[in-house]
Amino acid sequence: QVQLVESGGGLVQPGESLRLSCVASKPIFSFVEVGWYRQAPGKQRELVASISDYGNTSYGGSVKGRFTISRDNAKNTVYLQMNSLEPEDTAVYYCNADEADGNMNVYNYWGQGTQVTVSS
């Protein structure tokens, strides 16, 4: 079974930075896509950033230019560098990975989430 474990969340003031980590139980390159989603109370879960097995990246409009997604295959880890954090970034952040089998079935895996709170 695939496991994803997030860490790095916490309480910060506006303008500060955090780096989230997602450690997978198998090599990152084995997934067709890995990414970060977030969900705030009363809101739907939204895409923050993703990276494909080809290295293509996508970002949500509200974080573009402030957040950066990266990966380290040697450590089976995906990172989310978050700069210039704003109160509206407050949410639970989830790591996600998609895996395809030989029959082209796609399986979605999710971590337990890590809380990010941006407040004065």
Side-chain angles (χ1 to χ4, degrees):
Q1 296 89 329
V2 175
Q3 293 185 356
L4 305 173
V5 181
E6 305 100 328
S7 63
L11 173 63
V12 297
Q13 295 184 340
E16 295 184 344
S17 299
L18 281 175
R19 189 180 75 162
L20 305 183
S21 298
C22 172
V23 180
S25 60
K26 64 186 298 183
I28 296 299
F29 63 76
S30 66
F31 301 110
V32 297
E33 186 176 60
V34 294
W36 292 90
Y37 290 74
R38 69 185 183 188
Q39 187 167 24
K43 297 183 178 180
Q44 294 185 339
R45 187 171 299 184
E46 64 176 346
L47 172 69
V48 177
S50 67
I51 183 168
S52 74
D53 51 357
Y54 295 99
N56 298 317
T57 58
S58 296
Y59 294 93
S62 64
V63 307
K64 188 176 182 180
R66 298 187 297 121
F67 292 8
T68 302
I69 188 170
S70 62
R71 59 190 178 188
D72 186 338
N73 286 330
K75 297 181 178 180
N76 291 355
T77 302
V78 178
Y79 301 100
L80 182 67
Q81 179 66 45
M82 305 184 293
N83 298 326
S84 301
L85 284 163
E86 304 168 355
E88 53 264 39
D89 295 317
T90 297
V92 177
Y93 285 70
Y94 298 91
C95 182
N96 168 258
D98 294 335
E99 181 184 50
D101 65 16
N103 293 318
M104 299 301 176
N105 296 309
V106 178
Y107 301 90
N108 299 315
Y109 301 97
W110 294 89
Q112 82 288 350
T114 184
Q115 176 71 46
V116 173
T117 302
V118 185
S119 177
S120 299

Short mmCIF file of all heavy atoms in Angstrom, two decimals, residues 4-10 12 16 18-22 35-41 45-49 59-60 62-63 66-69 79-96 110-118:
data_model
loop_
_atom_site.label_atom_id
_atom_site.label_comp_id
_atom_site.label_asym_id
_atom_site.label_seq_id
_atom_site.Cartn_x
_atom_site.Cartn_y
_atom_site.Cartn_z
N LEU A 4 1.36 8.35 2.27
CA LEU A 4 1.86 9.71 2.12
C LEU A 4 1.78 10.39 3.48
O LEU A 4 0.72 10.38 4.11
CB LEU A 4 1.03 10.50 1.11
CG LEU A 4 0.87 9.89 -0.29
CD1 LEU A 4 -0.12 10.71 -1.11
CD2 LEU A 4 2.22 9.85 -1.00
N VAL A 5 2.88 10.98 3.92
CA VAL A 5 2.93 11.60 5.23
C VAL A 5 3.40 13.04 5.08
O VAL A 5 4.54 13.29 4.66
CB VAL A 5 3.86 10.84 6.19
CG1 VAL A 5 3.87 11.52 7.56
CG2 VAL A 5 3.41 9.39 6.33
N GLU A 6 2.53 13.99 5.44
CA GLU A 6 2.86 15.41 5.36
C GLU A 6 3.44 15.91 6.68
O GLU A 6 3.13 15.38 7.75
CB GLU A 6 1.63 16.25 5.02
CG GLU A 6 0.89 15.84 3.76
CD GLU A 6 -0.33 15.02 4.06
OE1 GLU A 6 -0.32 14.27 5.06
OE2 GLU A 6 -1.32 15.12 3.30
N SER A 7 4.24 16.96 6.59
CA SER A 7 4.78 17.62 7.77
C SER A 7 5.19 19.03 7.39
O SER A 7 5.26 19.37 6.21
CB SER A 7 5.97 16.86 8.35
OG SER A 7 7.05 16.82 7.44
N GLY A 8 5.46 19.87 8.39
CA GLY A 8 5.96 21.20 8.15
C GLY A 8 4.97 22.33 8.38
O GLY A 8 5.34 23.50 8.31
N GLY A 9 3.72 22.00 8.68
CA GLY A 9 2.74 23.03 8.93
C GLY A 9 2.97 23.69 10.28
O GLY A 9 3.77 23.24 11.09
N GLY A 10 2.25 24.79 10.51
CA GLY A 10 2.39 25.50 11.76
C GLY A 10 1.72 26.85 11.72
O GLY A 10 0.98 27.16 10.79
N VAL A 12 2.23 30.88 11.53
CA VAL A 12 3.16 31.92 11.12
C VAL A 12 2.42 33.24 10.94
O VAL A 12 1.20 33.27 10.81
CB VAL A 12 3.89 31.57 9.80
CG1 VAL A 12 4.75 30.32 9.98
CG2 VAL A 12 2.90 31.39 8.67
N GLU A 16 5.58 35.68 6.25
CA GLU A 16 6.59 34.67 6.55
C GLU A 16 6.47 33.48 5.61
O GLU A 16 5.59 33.43 4.75
CB GLU A 16 6.46 34.23 8.01
CG GLU A 16 6.78 35.34 9.00
CD GLU A 16 6.75 34.89 10.44
OE1 GLU A 16 6.18 33.80 10.73
OE2 GLU A 16 7.29 35.61 11.30
N LEU A 18 6.95 29.01 4.93
CA LEU A 18 6.95 27.65 5.43
C LEU A 18 7.31 26.72 4.28
O LEU A 18 7.05 27.04 3.12
CB LEU A 18 5.58 27.25 5.98
CG LEU A 18 5.16 27.70 7.37
CD1 LEU A 18 3.72 27.28 7.63
CD2 LEU A 18 6.08 27.12 8.43
N ARG A 19 7.88 25.57 4.61
CA ARG A 19 8.10 24.53 3.63
C ARG A 19 7.45 23.25 4.10
O ARG A 19 7.80 22.71 5.16
CB ARG A 19 9.59 24.28 3.36
CG ARG A 19 9.82 23.33 2.17
CD ARG A 19 11.28 23.08 1.88
NE ARG A 19 11.90 22.19 2.85
CZ ARG A 19 13.04 21.53 2.66
NH1 ARG A 19 13.70 21.69 1.51
NH2 ARG A 19 13.54 20.76 3.61
N LEU A 20 6.50 22.76 3.32
CA LEU A 20 5.83 21.51 3.62
C LEU A 20 6.55 20.35 2.94
O LEU A 20 7.08 20.50 1.84
CB LEU A 20 4.37 21.54 3.16
CG LEU A 20 3.51 22.69 3.67
CD1 LEU A 20 2.08 22.53 3.16
CD2 LEU A 20 3.54 22.76 5.18
N SER A 21 6.53 19.20 3.59
CA SER A 21 7.14 18.00 3.03
C SER A 21 6.12 16.87 2.98
O SER A 21 5.28 16.74 3.87
CB SER A 21 8.33 17.55 3.89
OG SER A 21 9.34 18.53 3.92
N CYS A 22 6.20 16.06 1.95
CA CYS A 22 5.36 14.89 1.79
C CYS A 22 6.26 13.71 1.46
O CYS A 22 6.87 13.68 0.38
CB CYS A 22 4.32 15.10 0.69
SG CYS A 22 3.36 13.62 0.26
N GLY A 35 0.95 16.18 -5.97
CA GLY A 35 0.60 17.57 -5.76
C GLY A 35 0.11 17.86 -4.37
O GLY A 35 0.05 16.98 -3.50
N TRP A 36 -0.23 19.13 -4.18
CA TRP A 36 -0.75 19.62 -2.91
C TRP A 36 -2.12 20.25 -3.12
O TRP A 36 -2.34 21.01 -4.07
CB TRP A 36 0.19 20.67 -2.30
CG TRP A 36 1.50 20.12 -1.84
CD1 TRP A 36 2.65 20.00 -2.56
CD2 TRP A 36 1.79 19.60 -0.54
NE1 TRP A 36 3.64 19.45 -1.78
CE2 TRP A 36 3.15 19.19 -0.54
CE3 TRP A 36 1.04 19.45 0.63
CZ2 TRP A 36 3.76 18.64 0.58
CZ3 TRP A 36 1.65 18.90 1.74
CH2 TRP A 36 2.99 18.50 1.71
N TYR A 37 -3.04 19.91 -2.23
CA TYR A 37 -4.36 20.51 -2.19
C TYR A 37 -4.57 21.11 -0.81
O TYR A 37 -3.88 20.74 0.14
CB TYR A 37 -5.45 19.47 -2.47
CG TYR A 37 -5.49 18.98 -3.90
CD1 TYR A 37 -4.52 18.11 -4.38
CD2 TYR A 37 -6.50 19.39 -4.77
CE1 TYR A 37 -4.56 17.65 -5.69
CE2 TYR A 37 -6.55 18.93 -6.07
CZ TYR A 37 -5.58 18.06 -6.53
OH TYR A 37 -5.63 17.62 -7.83
N ARG A 38 -5.51 22.02 -0.70
CA ARG A 38 -5.82 22.59 0.61
C ARG A 38 -7.32 22.76 0.76
O ARG A 38 -8.05 22.89 -0.21
CB ARG A 38 -5.11 23.93 0.82
CG ARG A 38 -5.62 25.06 -0.06
CD ARG A 38 -4.77 26.31 0.14
NE ARG A 38 -5.26 27.44 -0.63
CZ ARG A 38 -4.62 28.59 -0.74
NH1 ARG A 38 -3.46 28.78 -0.12
NH2 ARG A 38 -5.13 29.58 -1.47
N GLN A 39 -7.76 22.76 2.01
CA GLN A 39 -9.17 22.93 2.30
C GLN A 39 -9.34 23.75 3.57
O GLN A 39 -8.83 23.39 4.63
CB GLN A 39 -9.88 21.58 2.45
CG GLN A 39 -11.38 21.69 2.59
CD GLN A 39 -12.07 20.35 2.42
OE1 GLN A 39 -11.48 19.30 2.64
NE2 GLN A 39 -13.33 20.39 2.01
N ALA A 40 -10.05 24.86 3.45
CA ALA A 40 -10.37 25.71 4.58
C ALA A 40 -11.79 25.42 5.03
O ALA A 40 -12.61 24.92 4.25
CB ALA A 40 -10.22 27.18 4.19
N PRO A 41 -12.13 25.71 6.29
CA PRO A 41 -13.48 25.46 6.78
C PRO A 41 -14.54 26.13 5.91
O PRO A 41 -14.43 27.31 5.59
CB PRO A 41 -13.46 26.06 8.19
CG PRO A 41 -12.03 25.96 8.60
CD PRO A 41 -11.25 26.24 7.35
N ARG A 45 -12.19 21.67 -1.33
CA ARG A 45 -10.78 21.41 -1.49
C ARG A 45 -10.32 21.92 -2.86
O ARG A 45 -10.99 21.70 -3.88
CB ARG A 45 -10.50 19.91 -1.35
CG ARG A 45 -9.02 19.54 -1.33
CD ARG A 45 -8.82 18.07 -0.96
NE ARG A 45 -9.34 17.77 0.36
CZ ARG A 45 -9.22 16.60 0.96
NH1 ARG A 45 -8.59 15.61 0.35
NH2 ARG A 45 -9.74 16.42 2.17
N GLU A 46 -9.19 22.60 -2.89
CA GLU A 46 -8.70 23.19 -4.12
C GLU A 46 -7.24 22.82 -4.37
O GLU A 46 -6.47 22.59 -3.44
CB GLU A 46 -8.84 24.72 -4.09
CG GLU A 46 -8.01 25.39 -3.02
CD GLU A 46 -8.08 26.91 -3.07
OE1 GLU A 46 -8.57 27.45 -4.08
OE2 GLU A 46 -7.65 27.55 -2.10
N LEU A 47 -6.89 22.81 -5.64
CA LEU A 47 -5.51 22.53 -6.04
C LEU A 47 -4.62 23.71 -5.67
O LEU A 47 -4.95 24.86 -5.96
CB LEU A 47 -5.44 22.27 -7.54
CG LEU A 47 -4.03 22.17 -8.13
CD1 LEU A 47 -3.35 20.89 -7.65
CD2 LEU A 47 -4.07 22.21 -9.65
N VAL A 48 -3.50 23.41 -5.06
CA VAL A 48 -2.48 24.41 -4.76
C VAL A 48 -1.37 24.33 -5.80
O VAL A 48 -1.00 25.33 -6.42
CB VAL A 48 -1.90 24.23 -3.35
CG1 VAL A 48 -0.78 25.24 -3.10
CG2 VAL A 48 -3.00 24.37 -2.31
N ALA A 49 -0.81 23.15 -5.98
CA ALA A 49 0.26 22.94 -6.94
C ALA A 49 0.38 21.46 -7.25
O ALA A 49 0.08 20.62 -6.42
CB ALA A 49 1.59 23.47 -6.40
N TYR A 59 -0.18 25.51 -10.95
CA TYR A 59 -0.42 26.22 -9.71
C TYR A 59 -1.79 26.85 -9.71
O TYR A 59 -2.29 27.29 -10.75
CB TYR A 59 0.62 27.33 -9.50
CG TYR A 59 2.02 26.82 -9.29
CD1 TYR A 59 2.90 26.69 -10.35
CD2 TYR A 59 2.47 26.49 -8.01
CE1 TYR A 59 4.19 26.22 -10.16
CE2 TYR A 59 3.76 26.02 -7.81
CZ TYR A 59 4.62 25.89 -8.88
OH TYR A 59 5.89 25.42 -8.68
N GLY A 60 -2.40 26.88 -8.53
CA GLY A 60 -3.63 27.62 -8.38
C GLY A 60 -3.36 29.11 -8.53
O GLY A 60 -2.28 29.60 -8.18
N SER A 62 -4.28 31.73 -6.97
CA SER A 62 -4.04 32.53 -5.77
C SER A 62 -2.64 32.35 -5.19
O SER A 62 -2.22 33.15 -4.35
CB SER A 62 -5.09 32.20 -4.70
OG SER A 62 -4.98 30.85 -4.29
N VAL A 63 -1.91 31.33 -5.62
CA VAL A 63 -0.58 31.06 -5.07
C VAL A 63 0.52 31.22 -6.11
O VAL A 63 1.71 31.18 -5.76
CB VAL A 63 -0.49 29.66 -4.45
CG1 VAL A 63 -1.61 29.45 -3.44
CG2 VAL A 63 -0.53 28.57 -5.52
N ARG A 66 4.13 32.79 -5.61
CA ARG A 66 4.50 32.75 -4.20
C ARG A 66 4.91 31.34 -3.74
O ARG A 66 5.76 31.22 -2.87
CB ARG A 66 3.34 33.22 -3.32
CG ARG A 66 2.92 34.67 -3.58
CD ARG A 66 1.89 35.13 -2.55
NE ARG A 66 0.65 34.36 -2.65
CZ ARG A 66 0.12 33.65 -1.65
NH1 ARG A 66 0.72 33.62 -0.46
NH2 ARG A 66 -1.02 33.00 -1.82
N PHE A 67 4.28 30.31 -4.30
CA PHE A 67 4.55 28.93 -3.91
C PHE A 67 5.33 28.22 -5.00
O PHE A 67 5.17 28.50 -6.19
CB PHE A 67 3.25 28.17 -3.66
CG PHE A 67 2.46 28.62 -2.46
CD1 PHE A 67 2.81 29.75 -1.74
CD2 PHE A 67 1.36 27.88 -2.06
CE1 PHE A 67 2.08 30.16 -0.64
CE2 PHE A 67 0.62 28.27 -0.95
CZ PHE A 67 0.98 29.41 -0.24
N THR A 68 6.14 27.24 -4.60
CA THR A 68 6.91 26.44 -5.55
C THR A 68 6.87 24.98 -5.13
O THR A 68 7.16 24.66 -3.98
CB THR A 68 8.38 26.90 -5.62
OG1 THR A 68 8.44 28.28 -5.99
CG2 THR A 68 9.14 26.08 -6.66
N ILE A 69 6.52 24.10 -6.07
CA ILE A 69 6.52 22.67 -5.80
C ILE A 69 7.79 22.06 -6.39
O ILE A 69 8.25 22.46 -7.46
CB ILE A 69 5.26 21.98 -6.39
CG1 ILE A 69 5.19 20.52 -5.94
CG2 ILE A 69 5.21 22.09 -7.91
CD1 ILE A 69 3.86 19.85 -6.28
N TYR A 79 8.04 18.59 -2.01
CA TYR A 79 8.05 19.78 -1.18
C TYR A 79 7.12 20.85 -1.73
O TYR A 79 6.87 20.93 -2.93
CB TYR A 79 9.46 20.37 -1.09
CG TYR A 79 10.50 19.43 -0.53
CD1 TYR A 79 11.37 18.75 -1.38
CD2 TYR A 79 10.62 19.24 0.83
CE1 TYR A 79 12.33 17.89 -0.89
CE2 TYR A 79 11.59 18.38 1.34
CZ TYR A 79 12.44 17.71 0.48
OH TYR A 79 13.39 16.86 0.99
N LEU A 80 6.64 21.68 -0.83
CA LEU A 80 5.90 22.88 -1.21
C LEU A 80 6.50 24.04 -0.44
O LEU A 80 6.30 24.15 0.77
CB LEU A 80 4.41 22.74 -0.90
CG LEU A 80 3.55 23.95 -1.30
CD1 LEU A 80 3.51 24.08 -2.83
CD2 LEU A 80 2.14 23.84 -0.74
N GLN A 81 7.24 24.89 -1.14
CA GLN A 81 7.81 26.08 -0.54
C GLN A 81 6.79 27.19 -0.63
O GLN A 81 6.35 27.55 -1.73
CB GLN A 81 9.10 26.49 -1.26
CG GLN A 81 9.75 27.75 -0.71
CD GLN A 81 10.26 27.58 0.70
OE1 GLN A 81 10.89 26.57 1.02
NE2 GLN A 81 9.98 28.55 1.56
N MET A 82 6.40 27.74 0.51
CA MET A 82 5.37 28.77 0.57
C MET A 82 5.99 30.06 1.10
O MET A 82 6.42 30.13 2.24
CB MET A 82 4.21 28.33 1.46
CG MET A 82 3.59 27.00 1.04
SD MET A 82 2.13 26.57 2.04
CE MET A 82 2.91 26.31 3.64
N ASN A 83 6.02 31.08 0.25
CA ASN A 83 6.56 32.38 0.62
C ASN A 83 5.46 33.43 0.64
O ASN A 83 4.41 33.24 0.03
CB ASN A 83 7.66 32.80 -0.37
CG ASN A 83 8.84 31.87 -0.37
OD1 ASN A 83 9.21 31.32 0.66
ND2 ASN A 83 9.47 31.71 -1.53
N SER A 84 5.72 34.52 1.32
CA SER A 84 4.76 35.63 1.40
C SER A 84 3.37 35.15 1.79
O SER A 84 2.36 35.50 1.16
CB SER A 84 4.72 36.38 0.06
OG SER A 84 5.99 36.89 -0.28
N LEU A 85 3.31 34.36 2.83
CA LEU A 85 2.04 33.78 3.25
C LEU A 85 1.04 34.85 3.68
O LEU A 85 1.42 35.86 4.28
CB LEU A 85 2.26 32.78 4.38
CG LEU A 85 2.84 31.44 3.93
CD1 LEU A 85 3.42 30.67 5.11
CD2 LEU A 85 1.76 30.61 3.23
N GLU A 86 -0.21 34.61 3.38
CA GLU A 86 -1.30 35.52 3.67
C GLU A 86 -2.36 34.81 4.50
O GLU A 86 -2.43 33.58 4.49
CB GLU A 86 -1.92 36.04 2.36
CG GLU A 86 -0.92 36.70 1.43
CD GLU A 86 -1.48 36.93 0.04
OE1 GLU A 86 -2.61 36.48 -0.23
OE2 GLU A 86 -0.78 37.57 -0.77
N PRO A 87 -3.18 35.56 5.24
CA PRO A 87 -4.23 34.91 6.05
C PRO A 87 -5.13 33.99 5.25
O PRO A 87 -5.58 32.96 5.77
CB PRO A 87 -5.00 36.10 6.62
CG PRO A 87 -3.98 37.19 6.72
CD PRO A 87 -3.11 37.01 5.50
N GLU A 88 -5.39 34.32 3.98
CA GLU A 88 -6.25 33.48 3.16
C GLU A 88 -5.61 32.15 2.77
O GLU A 88 -6.27 31.28 2.20
CB GLU A 88 -6.70 34.22 1.89
CG GLU A 88 -5.56 34.82 1.08
CD GLU A 88 -5.33 36.28 1.41
OE1 GLU A 88 -5.42 36.66 2.59
OE2 GLU A 88 -5.06 37.06 0.47
N ASP A 89 -4.32 31.98 3.08
CA ASP A 89 -3.66 30.70 2.86
C ASP A 89 -3.93 29.71 3.98
O ASP A 89 -3.53 28.54 3.88
CB ASP A 89 -2.15 30.89 2.71
CG ASP A 89 -1.77 31.71 1.49
OD1 ASP A 89 -2.35 31.47 0.41
OD2 ASP A 89 -0.89 32.59 1.60
N THR A 90 -4.57 30.16 5.04
CA THR A 90 -4.88 29.29 6.17
C THR A 90 -5.79 28.15 5.73
O THR A 90 -6.87 28.37 5.19
CB THR A 90 -5.55 30.08 7.29
OG1 THR A 90 -4.64 31.07 7.78
CG2 THR A 90 -5.95 29.16 8.44
N ALA A 91 -5.35 26.91 5.97
CA ALA A 91 -6.10 25.73 5.56
C ALA A 91 -5.35 24.48 6.00
O ALA A 91 -4.22 24.55 6.48
CB ALA A 91 -6.28 25.70 4.04
N VAL A 92 -6.01 23.33 5.84
CA VAL A 92 -5.32 22.06 5.97
C VAL A 92 -4.78 21.69 4.60
O VAL A 92 -5.53 21.69 3.62
CB VAL A 92 -6.26 20.95 6.49
CG1 VAL A 92 -5.52 19.61 6.55
CG2 VAL A 92 -6.80 21.31 7.86
N TYR A 93 -3.51 21.40 4.53
CA TYR A 93 -2.86 21.07 3.28
C TYR A 93 -2.65 19.57 3.17
O TYR A 93 -2.12 18.94 4.09
CB TYR A 93 -1.51 21.80 3.17
CG TYR A 93 -1.66 23.27 2.86
CD1 TYR A 93 -2.17 24.16 3.81
CD2 TYR A 93 -1.31 23.79 1.61
CE1 TYR A 93 -2.33 25.50 3.53
CE2 TYR A 93 -1.46 25.13 1.32
CZ TYR A 93 -1.97 25.98 2.28
OH TYR A 93 -2.12 27.32 1.98
N TYR A 94 -3.08 19.01 2.04
CA TYR A 94 -3.02 17.57 1.81
C TYR A 94 -2.10 17.24 0.64
O TYR A 94 -2.14 17.89 -0.40
CB TYR A 94 -4.41 17.01 1.49
CG TYR A 94 -5.42 17.16 2.60
CD1 TYR A 94 -6.24 18.28 2.67
CD2 TYR A 94 -5.56 16.18 3.58
CE1 TYR A 94 -7.17 18.42 3.68
CE2 TYR A 94 -6.49 16.31 4.59
CZ TYR A 94 -7.29 17.43 4.63
OH TYR A 94 -8.23 17.56 5.64
N CYS A 95 -1.31 16.20 0.81
CA CYS A 95 -0.50 15.67 -0.26
C CYS A 95 -1.31 14.64 -1.04
O CYS A 95 -2.06 13.86 -0.45
CB CYS A 95 0.77 15.02 0.31
SG CYS A 95 1.91 14.38 -0.94
N ASN A 96 -1.18 14.66 -2.36
CA ASN A 96 -1.92 13.75 -3.23
C ASN A 96 -1.00 13.14 -4.27
O ASN A 96 -0.09 13.80 -4.77
CB ASN A 96 -3.06 14.51 -3.92
CG ASN A 96 -3.70 13.71 -5.04
OD1 ASN A 96 -3.42 13.94 -6.21
ND2 ASN A 96 -4.55 12.76 -4.68
N TRP A 110 -3.98 9.87 -0.63
CA TRP A 110 -4.00 11.12 0.12
C TRP A 110 -3.29 10.96 1.45
O TRP A 110 -3.37 9.92 2.09
CB TRP A 110 -5.43 11.58 0.39
CG TRP A 110 -6.19 11.95 -0.84
CD1 TRP A 110 -6.93 11.13 -1.64
CD2 TRP A 110 -6.26 13.26 -1.43
NE1 TRP A 110 -7.47 11.84 -2.68
CE2 TRP A 110 -7.08 13.15 -2.57
CE3 TRP A 110 -5.73 14.50 -1.09
CZ2 TRP A 110 -7.38 14.24 -3.39
CZ3 TRP A 110 -6.02 15.59 -1.90
CH2 TRP A 110 -6.84 15.45 -3.03
N GLY A 111 -2.60 12.01 1.86
CA GLY A 111 -2.01 12.05 3.18
C GLY A 111 -3.04 12.47 4.21
O GLY A 111 -4.20 12.74 3.89
N GLN A 112 -2.61 12.55 5.46
CA GLN A 112 -3.53 12.89 6.55
C GLN A 112 -3.76 14.39 6.69
O GLN A 112 -4.70 14.81 7.37
CB GLN A 112 -3.00 12.32 7.88
CG GLN A 112 -1.94 13.17 8.57
CD GLN A 112 -0.58 13.14 7.89
OE1 GLN A 112 -0.33 12.34 6.98
NE2 GLN A 112 0.31 14.02 8.32
N GLY A 113 -2.92 15.19 6.07
CA GLY A 113 -3.05 16.63 6.12
C GLY A 113 -2.20 17.28 7.19
O GLY A 113 -1.90 16.67 8.22
N THR A 114 -1.79 18.51 6.95
CA THR A 114 -1.05 19.30 7.92
C THR A 114 -1.62 20.71 7.95
O THR A 114 -1.90 21.31 6.92
CB THR A 114 0.46 19.32 7.60
OG1 THR A 114 1.17 20.00 8.64
CG2 THR A 114 0.75 19.98 6.27
N GLN A 115 -1.82 21.25 9.15
CA GLN A 115 -2.48 22.54 9.32
C GLN A 115 -1.50 23.69 9.12
O GLN A 115 -0.41 23.70 9.70
CB GLN A 115 -3.10 22.64 10.72
CG GLN A 115 -3.74 23.99 11.03
CD GLN A 115 -5.01 24.23 10.27
OE1 GLN A 115 -5.88 23.34 10.21
NE2 GLN A 115 -5.15 25.41 9.68
N VAL A 116 -1.90 24.65 8.30
CA VAL A 116 -1.16 25.89 8.12
C VAL A 116 -2.06 27.04 8.55
O VAL A 116 -3.16 27.19 8.03
CB VAL A 116 -0.71 26.09 6.66
CG1 VAL A 116 -0.10 27.47 6.47
CG2 VAL A 116 0.28 25.01 6.26
N THR A 117 -1.60 27.83 9.50
CA THR A 117 -2.36 28.97 9.99
C THR A 117 -1.52 30.23 9.86
O THR A 117 -0.39 30.29 10.37
CB THR A 117 -2.78 28.78 11.45
OG1 THR A 117 -3.55 27.59 11.58
CG2 THR A 117 -3.61 29.97 11.92
N VAL A 118 -2.05 31.23 9.17
CA VAL A 118 -1.37 32.50 8.96
C VAL A 118 -2.18 33.59 9.66
O VAL A 118 -3.29 33.90 9.25
CB VAL A 118 -1.21 32.83 7.48
CG1 VAL A 118 -0.37 34.10 7.31
CG2 VAL A 118 -0.56 31.67 6.73
#
